[in-house]
Structures are given as C-alpha cells and as structure tokens.
Amino acid sequence: MVVDVALEPLNVEGNLFSKPIFIAGPCSAETEEQVMDTAVPLAAMGIKIFRAGIWKPRTRPNAFEGVGAEGLKWLQRVRRETGMLVATEVANTKHVYEALKHGVDIIWIGARTSANPFAVQDIADSLRGVNIPVMVKNPINPDVDLWIGAIERINNAGIKRMAAIHRGFSSYEKTLYRNVPQWQVPIELRRRIPEMPIITDPSHISGTREFLMDISQKAMDLNFDGLIIESHCNPDKALSDAKQQVTPEGLQNILDRLVLREPEISEELMFTLAELRDQIDKLDDRMINLLEERMQVAEQIGSYKKENNITILQTKRWDDMLKNRLRLGVRKGLSEEFIIKLFRSIHQESINHQTSIMNQE
Ligand code: PEP
Ligand code: MN
C-alpha cells in the first residue's frame, strides 16, 4: 500500500525548513510595487518563502492571466532585497525554462495541471537533472491516485525535495467552501507516502478570508507540515482571488492565533476521527442547502396563496404531513419525539417565510 517515493528533506541552500513551513504571498504578481509592498512586511514577519503566480490558470478567458516572465524580475528583487526564497507555479515546459533562468527557488504544479498526466510528464522531463524543490498541488478532482501519479512522475525525473499541497476539490454542489477540503484525501496521501510533507492551502479551499483561520488550525491539528496562504498588500484591489487574500497584517493575526499542539492521540486515531467529522460536516452542509431549497419552495407557495387569497395555515395538510414524516422517520430509527420537534420547527420556519412573502406590498 505504501508508495515508494525517494525523498530528501525540503532544504534549500542548506537552509533547513523546520515544521511548520509557512509560505505566503499574493495570488498573482501584478506590479513591481505590489510585489515589493507585500514581500517586505511578510519578510519582516519572518516568512521565509514568498509565493506569487506569474502565469495564472483562470477558469474563464478574459480574467487576469498573469503578467508573464516580466514578473520573474520582481521575484528576483524580492529574493535580493528580503532574503526570502521565491516560489511560483509552472504549467508547461516554457514556464519551467523561464523560472529556472530567473533563479526561482521552488516551483509548484497547479491543481488543473496535476490532473493532466501528459502535462505533468512534460514538466517532469524538462526538470530532469535539475535540482529544484517541487510542490505538487492536488488535482481538482478528489483522486488520490492521480495526485500520487503526478508526484511519482516528478520524483522519477530525479526530483527528491518535494511537498504536496492540499488545496481542496471542485464540486458541482454549492458548498460552504470554494474547494471542498475532503480531508480524507490528504490523510490517505499521508498513509500512502508517510514521509511526504503536506502543506495545506487554506486560501483556495476557503475562497473567502473568513474561513482561513479554521482551515489553518485544522491542518495543524492533523499534524500536517505547513500552510501556503495568499497575502496581498491591498487584497480588495487584487486582480485575482481578491476575496480570499489577506493583508500581511491579517496573516500575522492568523499565525498568532494558531495553536500548535503535540498530537495527544496517535496519528491513525486522529485521522479516523477527522474523516468521520468530515462526513458530519458534509452532511450538515447538505442539510442546510436542502433547508434553503425547502424555504424557497415555501416562499413560492406563499406567493401562490397570496395571489389566490388562501390562508397560510391549512390544518389538514399539516396533520397529514406530520403523520407521514413520523412514519418515515420511525422506520429510519429516529425517535417520535425528535421527528415532531424537528418538523414543528421546520414548519414554523416555512410559515415565517410564507408570511413575509404575503406581507410584502
Ligand atoms: C494558485 O495557487 O494561485 C492557484 C492557481 O491555485 P490552484 O492551482 O490550487 O487553483
Ligand atoms: Mn489564487
């Protein structure tokens, strides 16, 4: 079950990265000024690795697709003036060539690229004989074998300093997160390649600043190895991923609140618990979406009753409904008391929604 991947510690220039590894910087390099205004305070906070996208894989055309190779000169300046190491995403052999030419210290492969074995193999071939650390983001779909396959392709090209980045997974369903974390996938990666450092990317999981803290803490609680967080000197004006970026100050606030615990229980127990809690979170998320849908239907009923001058509460309908839900619920092992309480409360909420529709002018 364990995959054989030859790894060495993620050192750069004799600089040993101790856990947790914190990587920060903007989603995209936009201007030299924006890059420096973000990098200088991050370096002052003690961040050792600066991230910035130079070529941006955007979902739709006409979105900002990065400044291209010109931005690599700004990263050289960051390196020179702050002493931070610089990291960027590569998606093809031309990007690899440019990044190496400009002395980028660490490269990463993005989620859309990891999902494509041909693209990963091309990148791997162009890295043969080059001694650079490579981080591999999870593919956009929750397929641990595809993720491992991408890691193996890079590793087989002789790259030994590697890390995996967990950035969550796309889903059609509307969820709380931009990319559902599906913690069981990085957990499975840890089981299959125990020595592979796993760095969580709370920014692309959350899609919004407000969840960064929770996701970061969860990654630390799972004993993962680090965080890569998007930080921008003026997040609201960012040309990509504006909602999820934080100022260096905001990032400092998150890092200050982060609790680093020694795992009290074994990693295996912790992982099992995390997987079960993950399932609960997903189910609750689905229940909330279903309740939202239910209230929307209730509102449609409200408008219909209003147009036709019918009263909101139709007692017979409510009696029949409750009887039917009770029968169904009891058959599924739920107590009568619970079903009654639950549906009374759902029904009351529906009435409130209908009433507000009926009272609208
Ligand atoms: C990024 O790191 O800015 C990025 C594009 O991420 P992902 O490949 O995870 O979507
Ligand atoms: Mn981004």
Side-chain angles (χ1 to χ4, degrees):
M1 179 164 131
V2 172
V3 181
D4 195 17
V5 173
L7 292 177
E8 285 171 7
L10 199 64
N11 297 345
V12 179
E13 293 178 353
N15 191 340
L16 179 67
F17 287 114
S18 52
K19 195 173 152 179
I21 300 167
F22 295 131
I23 304 173
C27 178
S28 308
E30 299 167 5
T31 64
E32 184 166 0
E33 199 185 10
Q34 166 253 1
V35 166
M36 293 313 297
D37 286 354
T38 309
V40 169
L42 289 176
M45 285 163 51
I47 297 291
K48 300 278 187 297
I49 308 177
F50 183 75
R51 64 146 286 155
I54 294 291
W55 302 279
K56 298 304 299 177
R58 303 325 290 170
T59 303
R60 304 279 303 274
N62 304 324
F64 174 66
E65 292 187 321
V67 290
E70 181 195 0
L72 292 168
K73 299 202 185 77
W74 312 335
L75 295 190
Q76 286 178 320
R77 188 172 160 206
V78 168
R79 212 174 177 284
R80 214 171 41 238
E81 293 185 17
T82 71
M84 283 190 287
L85 299 167
V86 295
T88 201
E89 172 175 346
V90 294
N92 60 37
T93 53
K94 184 178 146 282
H95 298 165
V96 171
Y97 170 81
E98 291 289 351
L100 295 177
K101 193 171 89 181
H102 288 85
V104 167
D105 299 286
I106 300 170
I107 53 180
W108 81 80
I109 296 179
R112 293 157 194 78
T113 311
S114 300
N116 178 350
F118 288 126
V120 175
Q121 192 58 53
D122 277 348
I123 293 172
D125 292 341
S126 69
L127 285 171
R128 221 168 269 283
V130 181
N131 188 16
I132 188 169
V134 178
M135 306 190 289
V136 181
K137 284 198 161 195
N138 66 252
I140 45 182
N141 49 329
D143 181 341
V144 76
D145 285 306
L146 193 58
W147 195 2
I148 291 176
I151 290 169
E152 285 177 309
R153 285 174 199 279
I154 301 295
N155 191 239
N156 289 344
I159 301 289
K160 300 222 165 47
R161 289 174 299 164
M162 298 188 74
I165 300 179
H166 165 226
R167 53 75 83 192
F169 304 89
S170 293
S171 94
Y172 180 70
E173 248 180 83
K174 203 165 48 138
T175 69
L176 199 56
Y177 302 109
R178 175 177 177 193
N179 289 295
V180 191
Q182 305 236 42
W183 295 96
Q184 75 274 19
V185 181
I187 286 174
E188 182 57 18
L189 179 76
R190 164 74 25 109
R191 289 197 182 108
R192 304 268 289 271
I193 318 180
E195 66 279 29
M196 172 67 69
I198 298 179
I199 294 172
T200 295
D201 174 346
S203 307
H204 292 90
I205 291 175
S206 308
T208 148
R209 261 158 245 154
E210 59 180 311
F211 304 131
L212 293 178
M213 181 69 219
D214 282 356
I215 297 284
S216 302
Q217 186 61 56
K218 171 110 180 182
M220 295 296 98
D221 291 346
L222 285 173
N223 205 19
F224 288 168
D225 302 272
L227 301 171
I228 176 166
I229 299 187
E230 288 186 340
S231 177
H232 189 292
C233 54
N234 189 356
D236 291 332
K237 291 271 153 30
L239 298 181
S240 58
D241 292 351
K243 286 207 292 262
Q244 71 197 28
Q245 303 206 56
V246 277
T247 57
E249 207 183 358
L251 177 65
Q252 179 74 66
N253 184 272
I254 292 172
L255 298 184
D256 287 346
R257 284 186 294 149
L258 214 55
V259 183
L260 304 178
R261 308 185 177 95
E262 283 300 316
E264 285 159 21
I265 51 175
S266 79
E267 210 169 61
E268 196 47 49
L269 275 177
M270 193 164 67
F271 284 172
T272 307
L273 208 60
E275 281 165 332
L276 293 171
R277 286 182 176 153
D278 204 29
Q279 286 181 38
I280 295 275
D281 289 348
K282 256 188 267 159
L283 290 167
D284 284 353
D285 200 353
R286 274 168 61 192
M287 282 200 282
I288 289 177
N289 281 336
L290 281 173
L291 286 170
E292 180 196 21
E293 232 179 273
R294 195 189 193 285
M295 295 309 149
Q296 284 164 354
V297 177
E299 287 169 14
Q300 285 177 32
I301 295 182
S303 331
Y304 186 77
K305 285 181 178 167
K306 183 179 180 182
E307 279 161 29
N308 294 286
N309 246 336
I310 317 174
T311 55
I312 292 184
L313 189 63
Q314 310 252 307
T315 319
K316 166 108 179 47
R317 160 78 183 146
W318 166 235
D319 281 350
D320 291 347
M321 227 179 91
L322 191 59
K323 267 189 218 134
N324 161 291
R325 308 306 187 252
L326 260 173
R327 216 177 314 119
L328 273 174
V330 169
R331 209 184 299 152
K332 299 276 179 193
L334 303 167
S335 72
E336 276 189 25
E337 187 197 351
F338 170 68
I339 295 288
I340 293 172
K341 267 197 210 141
L342 178 68
F343 278 93
R344 264 207 191 119
S345 148
I346 291 178
H347 188 237
Q348 186 56 53
E349 181 75 5
S350 285
I351 291 177
N352 296 348
H353 279 250
Q354 286 191 24
T355 312
S356 72
I357 290 288
M358 295 189 81
N359 291 340
Q360 264 169 23
E361 286 307 312

